Amino acid sequence: MIAIINASAGAASKQAIVERLVEVFRPDDVDARVLLARNRAELATLARAAVREQPDIVVAGGGDGTINAVAAELVGTNIALGVLPLGTLNHFAKALHLPLDVEAAARIVIAGNAISVDVGEVNGHIFLNNSSLGLYPSLVRRRDTQQEQLGRGKWAAALWAALTLLRRHAFLRVRLSLNGEEIERRTAIIFIGNNAYQMNGLRIGERERLDAGQLSLYLPHRGGRSGLSMLAVRALFGCLRESRDFDALFATAIDLETHHKRLLVATDGEVAAMDAPLRYRIRPGALRVICAKSASIA
């Protein structure tokens, strides 16, 4: 087993986490090597090196971006991904019903209950949770700039970025092709999930399945900045309704065209500029992951 920990994820001392993991693995006589990565590029480099060694499990410790970077190297192999949730939101860990305590999650990894789950892909980039265009990628870019240049906290920077973008953000004109049909829309945000998301009620943002073999597409009905603000408030309080607030569509492939040559695209919270058109695909059962035996994912 090889564990790769993102040294910059979360607030806890990563060296202390490494020492705790070594202590957790030792009583079970687990042959584990724990490595620290300083940035996303190093995460990918260490994961590629791990794949060449062909261990049974490669563990990723960090937030959703970290898990994505390591998983991208494991997709299509027989190596299982172990997840240690060390980030802020930990969406993928929650979808696997993993405990957010590091030691408890490590013990589940040791148990080694592996299942196969789907991954989404856009222009060669995989996502475990979701991908989005428009307002959200721009918000992440502005939030990160605020954190780096002004030293603001993550949530304060995100709030400032959201308020600024709601006033100024340009809308996208897109043509979407899926299920043999075409949809043209002027919208401020497009959300594409790896399998279906719960979009209303107290369970908003959750997924019941990770292996249904489909992408989910969500397009808001409300136009204009005031409509977006109202939509955000309704989402915050779990009051969204499909017929009133958004279209929900499902497909195995989605093509997106626009007059822009390049677009900012978020995949699992990480933002990159990609060449248009965007080609979204689902890759059924392409990733093996470790989850709790009691988890009901399918």
Side-chain angles (χ1 to χ4, degrees):
M1 181 189 302
I2 299 173
I4 303 170
I5 309 298
N6 184 348
S8 63
S13 165
K14 296 308 175 292
Q15 188 57 49
I17 288 173
V18 169
E19 293 170 2
R20 285 171 62 195
L21 290 176
V22 170
E23 290 301 315
V24 170
F25 292 143
R26 183 178 292 122
D28 292 273
D29 198 26
V30 175
D31 182 14
R33 190 161 77 255
V34 185
L35 308 173
L36 278 175
R38 292 167 293 184
N39 50 50
R40 187 177 178 86
E42 196 165 282
L43 283 166
T45 298
L46 292 174
R48 283 193 292 271
V51 169
R52 289 195 291 271
E53 295 185 36
Q54 290 294 301
D56 292 334
I57 301 171
V58 172
V59 180
D64 288 305
T66 297
I67 309 306
N68 177 299
V70 175
E73 305 301 327
L74 304 184
V75 166
T77 75
N78 289 322
I79 301 171
L81 172 70
V83 176
L84 298 179
L86 300 176
T88 304
L89 299 176
N90 302 305
H91 288 303
F92 191 59
K94 292 174 183 176
L96 292 171
H97 305 289
L98 294 175
L100 300 184
D101 175 76
V102 177
E103 290 187 19
R107 295 195 184 282
I108 287 175
V109 170
I110 292 170
N113 179 50
I115 62 170
S116 294
V117 300
D118 307 334
V119 301
E121 182 178 276
V122 52
N123 289 21
H125 298 260
I126 74 139
F127 54 96
L128 305 176
N129 300 311
N130 55 69
S131 173
S132 60
L133 295 87
L135 190 62
Y136 180 74
S138 298
L139 186 152
V140 172
R141 277 283 176 93
R142 285 178 180 257
R143 180 202 68 193
D144 291 347
T145 299
Q146 287 285 303
Q147 287 183 274
E148 293 169 6
Q149 295 181 358
L150 300 179
R152 287 177 168 160
K154 187 171 186 177
W155 294 111
L159 178 60
W160 182 92
L163 292 174
T164 302
L165 286 169
L166 282 173
R167 292 197 304 267
R168 303 177 184 174
H169 185 74
F171 284 64
L172 283 172
R173 289 190 179 277
V174 298
R175 181 167 66 251
L176 297 154
S177 301
L178 65 159
N179 301 326
E181 300 181 3
E182 289 192 349
I183 300 171
E184 293 191 4
R185 185 71 60 92
R186 176 182 178 271
T187 182
I189 189 166
I190 298 170
F191 180 95
I192 296 174
N194 172 18
N195 286 280
Y197 274 77
Q198 179 73 22
M199 294 299 285
N200 55 64
L202 296 177
R203 296 182 60 206
I204 191 168
E206 295 183 12
R207 286 172 289 177
E208 292 185 358
R209 298 188 62 167
L210 297 176
D211 65 347
Q214 61 181 2
L215 298 167
S216 53
L217 168 67
Y218 302 96
L219 292 169
H221 289 162
R222 294 172 183 266
R225 304 188 194 284
S226 61
L228 277 177
S229 299
M230 181 59 67
L231 193 68
V233 170
R234 290 174 62 78
L236 181 64
F237 289 98
C239 298
L240 290 176
R241 293 293 181 271
E242 181 177 334
S243 60
R244 180 194 310 176
D245 296 314
F246 61 91
D247 289 323
L249 303 165
F250 304 93
T252 58
I254 301 169
D255 292 336
L256 184 150
E257 297 182 31
T258 175
H259 66 277
H260 296 284
K261 292 183 179 180
R262 287 173 69 78
L263 292 167
L264 284 182
V265 182
T267 50
D268 293 343
E270 301 292 323
V271 177
M274 298 186 192
D275 293 332
L278 301 179
R279 310 294 189 192
Y280 282 90
R281 301 292 184 268
I282 193 75
R283 295 181 60 178
L287 179 68
R288 289 182 59 74
V289 296
I290 304 297
C291 69
K293 286 187 177 181
S294 60
S296 177
I297 294 173

